[in-house]
C-alpha cells in the first residue's frame, strides 16, 4: 500500500517500561500487517529515555516505529513523587496537546490520517481526546483480564460498603480477608486479592477516584484488547462481556512477535522496546555453568519499592535456600546487600531469555503481568511476592486458578523465605506447579499459532475494529 492508503494506528502507553513493552509489541504485529504505527511518549518519559540511551534512542531502537512526544508539564528536576501526582499531571496537562497532535497528523501531506488510537487504560485523557476529535479509540489493557475485572469491581466495593475500610489497623485485623464470592469469573477472592488501590480508609481517595474514572472511560471505548490468551483466563474474559465492549484476547504478544517472518519488510529485532534500563550481559554465561532447573531467579520488576529490611530478609533467605540464585536488584536497592557465594546480583537483565534458560527452576516475582506471561512461556513455576496494583490479584490466580506456584507472605523472614524456595525447587508443591506451568506453556503456544484463539482474535480485531469503515 502507498503511505496515504495505509491505516494508521497511534499507541498511547502509560510511561513505564511494563506498559510501553506490550504496546510496542502490538505495534510491531500491526506494522507487519501493513499498518503505519506511531508511539506517543510523554515528555518526561522521553527525556529519561534520551538520557539513558543517547540522543538517537528513539530512531535507533525501532526504525519502523513513528515516535511523537506530548508535553506533560513534568520535569526531570522535580518529577512526580507519587502515582496520584503522576496521574493528575497526565490528566490535567496532556488532553489538549494530544488533541492538537491528532489534528496535526490529519493535516500532514502524504501521511495517512489516524484511523484508530490504542490507549493504555491509565491514559484516559487520550481516549477522551480521540472522542472529541472524532477518531475511534480502543483500550489496550496491558495487565491480566483478572486485574481488569478487579478494577471493574471498585464501584461495587463502594456500593457494598467494603471500601473505604474501617480503621487504620485493616492490614492486620482481618478486614482484608473479607470474602468476595460475588466477583464474576473469579472464585475464592478476598478483599486483599483486589488491586491494592482499593485498600484505603479514605472516603475521598484520589487513587480510587482515578481508577473509577478510568474504568468508565474503558467501558466507552470501541473495543478492549488484552495481552492474555483465552484458555488461561476463560472464566474472567467471558464474564467481562457483561461490562465492556467487545473483548479481544491476543496474547502472549511476545510469542506472536517472535513468530513474525524473518525480514518481512521489518529489519528490526524483537527487542525494540525503548527502555531506561541497561541489561547485564554476563548473567547468561553464568547460567550456562549451572545444572538444569537448579537456579532461583528473583526479580521485583522495574519499579520495586521494597524497604531495606525486606531486602535484607530476602538476602538472608536466598543465601540459605541451598540453590544458586540470580537476583535482579536495582543499584539503589542493592547497596549493602550481602550476596551469598552461590548468588549473582545484577541491576537488570533480558528476562525472557533468562526464563527460557534451562538452568532456571523457579521465578520469585512481584507478579506483574508481563512477568507472569514470560514465566509461562518459559515453563518456570512461580513464588509470588506482590507489592502494588493488580499484582495481588495475579498472585491469587497463580496459586488458586492457574496453579503455577505459591505466595510468599509479605512479612516472611529469612528462614521462611528459604523454606518456601526449597519447597518450590524440590518439594511436591514445586513439582506440581512445574507440571501445570508446562501445560499452560503448551496452551499459550497453541493460542498464538495460526488458527489458535489469540491469532484468530487478532485477525478479528483487525477486520472488525481497525479496518472497519476505512
Amino acid at each position: 500500500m502507498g503511505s496515504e492508503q495505509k491505516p494508521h494506528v497511534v499507541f498511547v502507553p502509560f510511561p513505564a517500561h511494563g506498559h510501553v513493552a506490550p504496546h510496542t509489541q502490538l505495534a510491531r504485529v500491526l506494522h507487519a500487517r501493513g499498518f503505519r504505527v506511531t508511539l506517543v511518549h510523554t515528555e518526561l518519559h522521553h527525556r529519561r529515555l534520551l538520557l539513558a540511551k543517547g540522543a538517537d534512542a528513539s530512531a535507533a531502537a525501532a526504525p519502523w516505529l513513528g515516535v511523537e512526544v506530548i508535553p506533560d508539564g513534568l520535569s526531570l528536576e522535580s518529577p512526580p513523587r507519587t502515582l496520584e501526582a503522576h496521574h493528575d499531571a497526565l490528566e490535567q496537562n496532556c488532553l489538549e496537546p494530544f488533541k492538537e497532535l491528532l489534528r496535526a497528523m490529519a493535516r500532514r501531506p502524504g501521511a495517512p490520517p489516524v484511523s484508530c488510537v490504542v490507549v493504555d487504560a491509565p491514559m484516559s485523557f487520550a481516549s477522551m481526546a480521540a472522542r472529541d476529535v472524532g477518531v475511534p479509540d480502543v483500550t489496550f489493557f496491558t495487565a491480566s483480564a483478572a486485574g481488569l475485572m478487579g478494577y471493574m469491581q471498585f464501584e461495587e466495593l463502594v456500593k457494598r460498603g467494603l471500601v473505604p475500610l474501617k480503621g487504620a489497623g485493616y492490614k492486620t485485623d482481618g478486614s482484608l480477608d473479607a470474602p468476595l464470592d460475588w466477583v464474576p469469573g473469579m472464585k475464592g477472592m478476598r478483599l486483599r486479592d483486589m488491586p491494592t488501590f482499593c485498600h484505603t480508609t479514605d472516603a475521598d481517595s484520589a487513587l480510587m477516584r482515578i481508577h473509577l474514572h478510568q474504568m468508565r472511560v474503558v467501558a466507552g471505548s470501541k473495543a478492549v484488547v488484552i495481552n492474555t490468551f483465552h484458555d488461561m483466563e476463560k472464566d474472567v474474559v467471558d464474564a467481562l462481556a457483561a461490562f465492556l465492549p467487545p473483548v479481544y484476547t491476543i496474547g502472549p504478544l511476545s510469542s506472536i512477535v517472535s513468530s513474525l517472518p524473518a525480514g518481512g519488510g521489518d529489519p528490526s529485532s524483537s527487542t525494540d522496546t525503548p527502555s531506561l534500563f541497561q541489561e547485564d550481559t554476563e548473567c547468561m554465561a553464568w547460567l550456562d555453568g549451572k545444572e538444569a532447573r537448579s537456579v532461583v531467579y528473583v526479580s521485583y520488576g522495574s519499579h520495586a519499592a521494597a524497604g531495606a529490611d525486606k531486602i535484607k530478609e530476602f538476602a538472608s533467605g536466598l543465601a540459605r535456600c541451598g540453590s544458586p540464585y540470580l537476583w535482579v536488584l536495582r543499584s539503589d536497592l542493592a547497596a549493602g546487600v550481602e550476596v551469598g557465594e552461590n548468588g549473582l546480583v545484577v541491576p537488570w537483565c533480558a528476562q525472557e531469555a533468562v526464563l527460557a534458560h534451562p538452568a532456571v527452576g523457579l521465578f520469585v516475582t512481584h507478579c506483574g503481568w508481563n512477568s507472569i506471561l514470560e514465566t509461562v512461556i518459559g515453563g518456570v513455576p512461580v513464588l509470588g511476592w506482590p507489592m502494588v496494583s493488580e499484582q495481588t490479584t495475579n498472585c491469587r490466580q497463580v496459586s488458586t486458578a492457574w496453579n503455577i506456584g505459591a505466595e510468599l507472605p509479605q512479612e516472611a523472614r529469612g528462614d521462611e523465605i528459604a523454606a518456601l524456595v526449597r519447597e518450590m525447587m524440590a518439594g511436591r508443591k514445586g513439582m506440581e506447579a512445574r507440571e501445570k506451568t508446562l501445560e499452560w506453556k503448551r496452551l499459550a503456544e497453541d493460542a498464538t499459532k495460526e488458527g489458535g484463539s489469540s491469532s484468530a482474535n487478532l485477525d478479528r480485531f483487525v477486520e472488525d475494529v481497525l479496518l472497519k469503515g476505512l
Side-chain angles (χ1 to χ4, degrees):
M1 284 183 277
S3 63
E4 293 185 30
Q5 296 174 298
K6 286 186 176 183
H8 184 186
V9 178
V10 173
F11 291 82
V12 189
F14 182 75
H17 179 79
H19 291 253
V20 175
H23 276 259
T24 307
Q25 290 166 349
L26 181 53
R28 277 210 53 179
V29 171
L30 295 182
H31 175 265
R33 289 172 174 242
F35 283 70
R36 178 168 177 153
V37 289
T38 299
L39 186 72
V40 176
H41 288 303
T42 55
E43 194 168 47
L44 175 61
H45 186 68
H46 191 248
R47 289 182 66 192
R48 285 172 168 165
L49 285 172
L50 295 182
L51 280 176
K53 300 294 186 181
D56 296 327
S58 298
W64 51 272
L65 178 65
V67 174
E68 299 284 350
V69 181
I70 54 173
D72 53 14
L74 301 171
S75 70
L76 285 170
E77 295 72 29
S78 182
R81 299 192 178 278
T82 65
L83 184 60
E84 172 191 338
H86 201 169
H87 276 296
D88 282 343
L90 295 174
E91 289 296 314
Q92 292 171 18
N93 301 328
C94 294
L95 176 66
E96 292 303 325
F98 187 58
K99 281 187 194 178
E100 181 51 40
L101 175 62
L102 291 176
R103 294 187 182 112
M105 285 179 165
R107 297 191 297 265
R108 290 177 186 171
V114 176
S115 50
C116 184
V117 178
V118 174
V119 181
D120 205 341
M123 306 294 271
S124 49
F125 73 85
S127 290
M128 303 309 294
R131 294 171 198 179
D132 285 350
V133 173
V135 177
D137 68 288
V138 167
T139 294
F140 183 13
F141 193 76
T142 59
S144 60
L148 178 55
M149 180 61 83
Y151 288 117
M152 293 297 299
Q153 299 309 305
F154 276 15
E155 196 161 336
E156 187 67 20
L157 290 171
V158 174
K159 286 180 181 177
R160 291 175 180 252
L162 292 164
V163 174
L165 288 146
K166 316 298 189 290
Y170 68 86
K171 290 184 179 180
T172 56
D173 67 7
S175 297
L176 293 178
D177 292 320
L180 307 181
D181 52 9
W182 43 266
V183 177
M186 297 170 70
K187 298 176 181 178
M189 292 295 289
R190 307 160 298 179
L191 187 55
R192 73 169 60 252
D193 305 318
M194 299 298 276
T196 58
F197 303 123
C198 71
H199 298 164
T200 178
T201 59
D202 182 2
D204 298 314
S205 165
L207 285 174
M208 276 291 290
R209 168 181 54 78
I210 288 166
H211 285 87
L212 286 168
H213 170 68
Q214 287 174 4
M215 292 302 103
R216 294 183 190 117
V217 173
V218 168
S221 59
K222 297 292 183 186
V224 176
V225 175
I226 310 178
N227 187 20
T228 188
F229 58 103
H230 194 256
D231 281 333
M232 191 168 184
E233 299 198 88
K234 179 183 184 302
D235 291 345
V236 184
V237 172
D238 292 348
L240 283 170
F243 303 96
L244 297 172
V247 176
Y248 298 88
T249 56
I250 60 168
L253 276 167
S254 60
S255 295
I256 294 178
V257 168
S258 65
S259 68
L260 292 176
D266 186 347
S268 55
S269 72
S270 62
T271 56
D272 295 319
T273 305
S275 174
L276 300 174
F277 308 104
Q278 188 66 44
E279 293 174 353
D280 175 83
T281 58
E282 299 180 8
C283 62
M284 298 303 293
W286 183 84
L287 288 172
D288 288 342
K290 305 301 178 185
E291 296 180 6
R293 296 201 297 266
S294 67
V295 174
V296 180
Y297 170 56
V298 185
S299 176
Y300 315 135
S302 57
H303 290 275
D309 289 344
K310 286 190 175 183
I311 296 294
K312 183 178 179 181
E313 291 298 333
F314 252 93
S316 171
L318 291 171
R320 288 185 280 160
C321 73
S323 297
Y325 60 91
L326 171 61
W327 191 0
V328 173
L329 199 60
R330 293 197 319 264
S331 301
D332 58 312
L333 297 176
V337 170
E338 293 187 15
V339 183
E341 61 181 19
N342 288 328
L344 175 64
V345 174
V346 298
W348 197 244
C349 72
Q351 181 162 285
E352 285 186 77
V354 167
L355 288 168
H357 197 287
V360 175
L362 177 67
F363 185 14
V364 182
T365 171
H366 64 314
C367 292
W369 185 237
N370 291 332
S371 292
I372 295 297
L373 286 179
E374 288 163 6
T375 205
V376 166
I377 292 168
V380 178
V382 164
L383 185 56
W385 195 54
M387 297 182 183
V388 296
S389 61
E390 72 286 337
Q391 294 166 12
T392 46
T393 312
N394 294 340
C395 189
R396 182 66 171 176
Q397 297 294 88
V398 159
S399 58
T400 64
W402 308 322
N403 299 310
I404 61 173
E407 180 174 358
L408 188 65
Q410 285 296 308
E411 302 305 322
R413 308 286 297 199
D415 54 351
E416 188 174 5
I417 292 169
L420 274 167
V421 169
R422 284 194 292 268
E423 170 62 22
M424 293 304 297
M425 286 294 284
R428 179 179 175 181
K429 189 172 187 65
M431 289 187 287
E432 291 174 348
R434 182 174 295 110
E435 290 176 5
K436 195 65 181 179
T437 308
L438 290 172
E439 286 182 30
W440 289 122
K441 173 183 170 70
R442 288 190 290 272
L443 289 169
E445 291 169 349
D446 290 343
T448 55
K449 291 176 182 175
E450 186 173 355
S453 62
S454 292
S455 179
N457 282 338
L458 184 60
D459 291 340
R460 288 174 49 237
F461 171 61
V462 169
E463 292 296 328
D464 297 349
V465 181
L466 297 185
L467 296 180
K468 190 174 184 179
L470 290 182

